[in-house]
Amino acid sequence: MAPTWAEDVDRDLVRSAGARLALLERGEGAYVWDADGKRYLDFLAGIAVNSLGHAHPVFVEAIARQAATLSHVSNYFATPPQLALAAQLKRLAGTGDTGRVYFGNSGAEANEAAFKLARLHGGADRPRILALKDAFHGRTMGTLALTGKPHMQQPFEPMVPGVEFLDSTIEALEAAMDERVAALFVEPIKGEAGVVELPAGYLQAAREITARSGALLIVDEIQTGAGRTGAWFAFQHAGIEPDAITVAKGIGGGFPIGALITFGRASELFYPGTHGSTFGGNPLGTAVASAVLGEIESGGLVEAAATHGARLRQVLESLDSSLVEGVRGRGLLLGVALRHPVAGAVVAAAQEHGLIVNAANERTVRIAPPLTIGDVEIDEFAELFAAALNTVESALLLENPTPEESA
Ligand SMILES: *Cc1c(COP(=O)(O)O)cnc(C)c1O
């Protein structure tokens, strides 16, 4: 028997997503509780969104204070929190004085703005836009056109034209690039594809190759940004300067906000009347994001993402499970590669054991805990995740005594 809330989901919500895993009612720190009072250790953090965990006092206080001060005024007006967040993002991204920030309300909106930026740069002479196969940039019609997953695009064709998809190799980029390319979009770690890193040196090469042909390099930091990989933004590990980055997820810590951050000459492409959003950059959202980023900074959570990420990785690599093939990712954005297509079963078993993780695909379990976790949470995770793997391993052995042969 499906619980009544599952019936409500089925009856009342659009069927654009699958069945929901649980009815979650509240959260605190790295934990959430469902409607039956069962507690889960949340190592997904709303898909890399809840940077400070749940109900963090800084997050709560920022919302309450700004809601009681000024929540929304339209973009006919500027507000202090909006200007403060723009300056903060420019500083953290390292744009220098010439950077600019556009605010939207989601990752897709940040990438829509980036797509328009690319078109403004390209004009009639540069109709081509390059993106990587298997990368994810969003689900609106524009960002879906940038998303190199044919099965996601197919029901919604025709796509916005001009986008071509490349293998994630430097050679493929060299071969595709010419003076008719407006921009290259890249995800520094392909999160939705299963936490897949780009080849070593890719971003540096992409910077050189795009600069040579006059194309923009646009880095989608929506999942990797806000300190998650052990740098404020993943492109910073590569020591390059892109033309633009997009951010969302972790910067709001649970409040919906996204932004496009431009560098140098790319900052001069938009002109009045070319883009906008009613909610984008309103004082409520920007005050919350500012407080979240401020707490990540003052709490040393970027460095913590690196050190705790390394420890988490060690824990995962030392798991005694025949299911685990390896670990991918960086900082607190990790993917556990499985030898069998059982990520869904591992996630379900983890949930049974009181742990939330996610199946990025059939063979990858994605792990993206709050940046605020410490050794206690990592130890608890190790125990619960090992138990989940064990459950699935035993079930596999029952079904098929020699699982290696069916791999
Ligand atoms: C989540 C995500 C998006 C889309 O963000 P939404 O807020 O869901 O629109 C785009 N790009 C990447 C890399 C993402 O992880």
Side-chain angles (χ1 to χ4, degrees):
M1 269 285 298
T4 56
W5 64 264
E7 287 169 14
D8 294 347
V9 166
D10 194 47
R11 187 188 58 245
D12 296 340
L13 300 184
V14 165
R15 288 179 168 162
S16 58
R20 306 305 191 272
L21 300 171
L23 183 67
L24 297 180
E25 237 173 31
R26 74 188 173 90
E28 194 182 322
Y31 298 92
V32 290
W33 284 262
D34 72 15
D36 298 326
K38 178 173 171 178
R39 188 182 88 151
Y40 304 86
L41 177 63
D42 182 7
F43 264 42
L44 180 59
I47 318 182
V49 166
N50 305 104
S51 311
L52 303 180
H54 299 276
H56 192 288
V58 166
F59 177 84
V60 174
E61 202 266 336
I63 290 182
R65 180 171 28 84
Q66 192 59 42
T69 306
L70 187 70
S71 64
H72 181 86
V73 292
S74 91
N75 282 308
Y76 290 117
F77 306 93
T79 63
Q82 180 184 65
L83 298 176
L85 180 61
Q88 198 174 11
L89 285 171
K90 283 176 58 174
R91 175 171 61 78
L92 299 176
T95 68
D97 287 345
T98 57
R100 293 186 188 279
V101 180
Y102 167 82
F103 290 113
N105 311 288
S106 65
E109 281 177 77
N111 281 339
E112 284 287 344
F115 200 151
K116 287 177 84 171
L117 183 84
R119 285 280 205 252
L120 286 175
H121 174 64
D125 294 339
R126 293 176 177 270
R128 303 177 64 207
I129 290 182
L130 305 180
L132 302 183
K133 284 181 195 164
D134 228 24
F136 179 79
H137 297 296
R139 291 179 177 268
T140 57
M141 286 307 296
T143 59
L144 185 59
L146 288 172
T147 293
K149 296 177 189 259
H151 72 279
M152 282 176 59
Q153 294 188 339
Q154 191 274 326
F156 302 102
E157 285 172 347
M159 288 290 113
V160 176
V163 185
E164 299 163 43
F165 297 102
L166 310 180
D167 288 329
S168 301
T169 66
I170 296 168
E171 299 73 53
L173 179 58
E174 282 279 15
M177 186 59 69
D178 66 19
E179 321 252 288
R180 289 173 58 76
V181 174
L184 167 70
F185 280 81
V186 295
E187 236 189 305
I189 297 175
K190 287 183 272 189
E192 300 304 300
V195 193
V196 179
E197 287 155 280
L198 293 172
Y202 187 92
L203 280 179
Q204 290 92 337
R207 176 65 289 179
E208 260 178 55
I209 294 166
T210 48
R212 213 187 302 143
S213 74
L216 300 180
L217 173 61
I218 300 174
V219 182
D220 181 340
E221 295 268 4
I222 289 165
Q223 192 155 153
T224 50
R228 179 149 297 275
T229 69
W232 275 103
F233 302 101
F235 79 84
Q236 292 166 334
H237 294 298
I240 59 151
E241 179 170 294
D243 297 297
I245 64 172
T246 51
V247 297
K249 292 201 167 91
I251 67 166
F255 197 95
I257 183 168
L260 166 72
I261 304 168
T262 57
F263 295 67
R265 71 202 162 115
S267 301
E268 306 313 316
L269 289 166
F270 278 114
Y271 53 91
T274 45
H275 201 39
S277 156
T278 298
F279 295 131
N282 85 14
L284 185 55
T286 49
V288 177
S290 228
V292 168
L293 293 176
E295 180 63 20
I296 292 174
E297 188 164 29
S298 65
L301 297 181
V302 182
E303 300 75 22
T307 52
H308 289 136
R311 167 117 205 277
L312 191 54
R313 196 187 185 98
Q314 253 177 5
V315 162
L316 290 167
E317 281 170 349
S318 62
L319 281 171
D320 180 29
S321 170
S322 68
L323 283 181
V324 177
E325 190 170 67
V327 183
R328 296 190 295 260
R330 190 153 188 172
L332 289 174
L333 180 60
L334 297 174
V336 182
L338 304 177
R339 288 208 172 84
H340 306 278
V342 292
V346 172
V347 167
Q351 190 176 330
E352 277 295 305
H353 288 283
L355 170 68
I356 294 178
V357 289
N358 156 260
N361 59 40
E362 285 187 327
R363 285 178 183 267
T364 313
V365 177
R366 172 170 42 188
I367 293 164
L371 306 184
T372 47
I373 58 160
D375 288 341
V376 173
E377 286 87 354
I378 293 176
D379 290 343
E380 188 179 352
F381 165 83
E383 206 171 296
L384 296 174
F385 194 60
L389 289 172
N390 212 349
T391 302
V392 174
E393 225 169 356
S394 314
L396 269 182
L397 277 171
L398 277 180
E399 259 170 46
N400 173 3
T402 53
E404 310 315 319
E405 283 158 27
S406 66

